[in-house]
């Protein structure tokens, strides 16, 4: 029995929750994964997993073995990585999850620089606004905007971005230009964004000096993807809270106009996150540092404390 292979298979089954998903993540046949676990249990002379038709559950012995196995595999990976780094640059496969707008407008355009620095790193880029399960889906890191709700994730703040309230000139011609946030409650419709994870719509928040408002406004359309959100406001369906740097070209050429420009919203904070039980490999470390450097060099996705509304 290849004990290291069996140990890796066991860790992956525990994290994925079932044999089928673990086999897919390891890119090997499911019977092979099953055989490795059976051989491992036979070698240890104890039951590590309780199997049901849909899911596996870890036994007390399995839970204890998982913690030790995870630490041993991390040390082994680090040893292999340190030896490899002595010979060459960071290499291997790196899985990254990122929202659509950031991927299309920030990360992908800058990737030639990353690959020029680290030509031996293979990037698997998952592009979606859907929050991914980093451990269960074997994802090394993710770039996310807003609050990090999972306290088990390690989050490194890399920047923040402002929001701009805007609409098409055609929409304003039909519905009029609001002069105050309260005007949005009468005769106006917004483009709403709802969380892919919870389904909850994001409220419109507006601040000017000591005045602040937060509305759950009537909406013409609600979407859960940032690129679709931008496309929706360009059709003239309603007023949107759009990401400033992505919408600036349309404001500059008159395709969109600002609404209530003297009012501001809380910026969206951006983080790069990874699971604490994932060893920070050399390839992950250089990617995290590269992303932080990329955002730090931008005047749009700025670092520093949250800017107080003025």
């Amino acid at each position: 029995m290849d004990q290291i292979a069996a140990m890796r298979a066991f860790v992956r089954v525990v994290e994925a929750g079932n044999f089928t998903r673990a086999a897919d993540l390891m890119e090997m046949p499911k019977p092979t994964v099953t055989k490795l676990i059976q051989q491992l249990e036979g070698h240890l002379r104890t039951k590590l997993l309780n199997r049901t038709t849909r899911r596996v559950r870890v036994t007390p012995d399995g839970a204890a073995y998982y913690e030790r196995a995870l630490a041993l595999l991390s040390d082994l990976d680090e040893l292999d990585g340190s030896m490899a780094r002595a010979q060459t640059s960071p290499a291997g496969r790196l899985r990254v999850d990122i929202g659509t707008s950031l991927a299309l407008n920030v990360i992908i355009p800058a990737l030639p620089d990353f690959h020029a620095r680290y030509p031996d790193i293979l990037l698997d880029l998952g592009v979606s606004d859907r929050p991914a399960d980093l451990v269960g889906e074997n994802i090394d890191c993710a770039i996310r905007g807003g609050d990090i709700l999972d306290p088990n994730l390690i989050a490194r703040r890399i920047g923040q971005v402002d929001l701009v309230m805007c609409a098409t000139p055609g929409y304003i011609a039909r519905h009029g230009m609001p002069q105050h946030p309260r005007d949005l409650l009468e005769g106006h419709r917004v483009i709403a964004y709802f969380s892919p994870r919870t389904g909850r719509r994001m409220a419109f928040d507006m601040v000017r000096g000591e005045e602040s408002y937060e509305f759950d406004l009537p909406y013409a359309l609600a979407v859960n993807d940032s690129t679709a959100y931008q496309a929706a406001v360009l059709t003239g369906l309603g007023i949107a809270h759009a990401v400033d740097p992505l919408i600036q070209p349309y404001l500059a050429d008159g395709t969109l106009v600002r609404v209530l420009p003297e009012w501001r919203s809380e910026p969206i904070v951006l983080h790069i996150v990874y699971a604490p039980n994932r060893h920070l490999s050399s390839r992950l470390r250089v990617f995290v540092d590269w992303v932080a450097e990329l955002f730090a060099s931008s005047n749009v996705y700025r670092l520093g404390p949250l800017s107080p509304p003025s």
Side-chain angles (χ1 to χ4, degrees), residues 201-309:
R201 292 195 308 277
M202 292 178 60
F204 269 52
D205 65 293
M206 289 150 279
V207 177
R208 183 181 66 180
E210 298 299 319
E211 292 183 272
S212 65
Y213 295 88
E214 184 172 313
F215 297 125
D216 187 8
L217 296 166
Y219 63 93
L221 173 71
V223 299
N224 65 354
D225 177 85
S226 52
T227 302
Y229 187 82
Q230 180 175 307
V233 67
L234 291 171
T235 67
L237 284 172
I239 297 172
H241 249 158
V243 173
D244 190 350
L246 306 184
I247 220 72
Q248 278 301 326
Y250 301 106
L251 294 173
D253 67 14
T255 302
L256 295 172
V257 295
R258 293 196 65 165
V259 175
L260 300 173
E262 69 277 17
W263 293 78
R264 294 186 60 187
S265 299
E266 190 77 5
I268 297 175
V269 180
L270 304 173
H271 297 89
I272 186 163
V273 299
Y274 53 91
N277 64 344
R278 282 284 184 264
H279 186 78
L280 197 60
S281 65
S282 59
R283 58 184 178 272
L284 176 56
R285 185 181 297 109
V286 298
F287 181 79
V288 169
D289 290 341
W290 176 80
V291 168
E293 177 186 329
L294 176 65
F295 280 84
S297 66
S298 170
N299 293 324
V300 175
Y301 298 94
R302 48 197 161 76
L303 286 166
L306 286 175
S307 303

Side-chain angles (χ1 to χ4, degrees), residues 41-68:
E41 289 179 326
H43 173 73
L44 298 173
R45 299 181 182 180
T46 187
K47 193 173 185 61
L48 301 175
L49 300 169
N50 287 320
R51 301 153 176 82
T52 66
T53 55
R54 298 184 61 184
R55 192 169 179 84
V56 297
R57 298 190 181 279
V58 186
T59 66
D61 285 343
Y65 187 81
Y66 170 78
E67 296 297 332
R68 295 294 302 275

Side-chain angles (χ1 to χ4, degrees), residues 16-279:
N18 61 65
F19 281 77
T20 300
R21 195 175 185 188
D24 290 341
L25 293 170
M26 298 184 72
E27 300 179 347
M28 64 172 54
K30 179 182 174 183
T32 302
V33 175
T34 301
K35 184 177 180 180
L36 285 170
I37 301 300
Q38 290 172 343
Q39 290 176 339
L40 183 62
E41 289 179 326
H43 173 73
L44 298 173
R45 299 181 182 180
T46 187
K47 193 173 185 61
L48 301 175
L49 300 169
N50 287 320
R51 301 153 176 82
T52 66
T53 55
R54 298 184 61 184
R55 192 169 179 84
V56 297
R57 298 190 181 279
V58 186
T59 66
D61 285 343
Y65 187 81
Y66 170 78
E67 296 297 332
R68 295 294 302 275
L70 196 64
L72 287 171
L73 290 173
S74 293
D75 288 343
L76 181 61
D77 289 342
E78 173 58 15
L79 177 60
D80 289 346
S82 64
M83 294 299 294
R85 286 194 299 274
Q87 304 296 326
T88 184
S89 62
R93 180 172 174 241
L94 193 67
R95 291 197 61 188
V96 180
D97 191 75
I98 185 173
T100 308
S101 289
L102 281 177
L104 297 181
N105 294 280
V106 181
I107 299 298
I108 291 177
L111 283 181
D113 171 69
F114 179 79
H115 284 297
R117 298 190 197 184
Y118 309 107
D120 297 321
I121 294 180
L122 308 177
L123 275 180
D124 289 357
L125 201 63
V127 180
S128 171
D129 283 4
R130 177 189 65 87
D133 177 0
L134 269 65
V135 174
E137 298 179 41
N138 199 27
I139 294 170
D140 293 292
C141 67
I143 301 174
R144 294 180 178 170
D147 296 333
I148 304 301
L149 301 179
D150 187 345
N152 297 315
L153 294 178
I154 296 174
R156 176 175 175 179
R157 182 179 166 186
I158 55 176
Q160 65 184 52
V161 63
D162 291 323
L163 297 174
V164 174
M165 195 174 299
C166 57
T168 61
Y171 174 88
I172 297 301
R174 293 191 304 272
H175 298 275
M177 177 65 79
Q179 303 301 312
H180 191 275
R182 289 189 297 265
D183 296 342
L184 298 175
L185 296 171
E186 299 181 7
H188 283 282
R189 291 290 184 271
V190 301
I191 309 298
Y193 183 91
F194 67 91
S195 167
R197 183 178 62 85
T198 67
R200 183 175 64 86
R201 292 195 308 277
M202 292 178 60
F204 269 52
D205 65 293
M206 289 150 279
V207 177
R208 183 181 66 180
E210 298 299 319
E211 292 183 272
S212 65
Y213 295 88
E214 184 172 313
F215 297 125
D216 187 8
L217 296 166
Y219 63 93
L221 173 71
V223 299
N224 65 354
D225 177 85
S226 52
T227 302
Y229 187 82
Q230 180 175 307
V233 67
L234 291 171
T235 67
L237 284 172
I239 297 172
H241 249 158
V243 173
D244 190 350
L246 306 184
I247 220 72
Q248 278 301 326
Y250 301 106
L251 294 173
D253 67 14
T255 302
L256 295 172
V257 295
R258 293 196 65 165
V259 175
L260 300 173
E262 69 277 17
W263 293 78
R264 294 186 60 187
S265 299
E266 190 77 5
I268 297 175
V269 180
L270 304 173
H271 297 89
I272 186 163
V273 299
Y274 53 91
N277 64 344
R278 282 284 184 264
H279 186 78

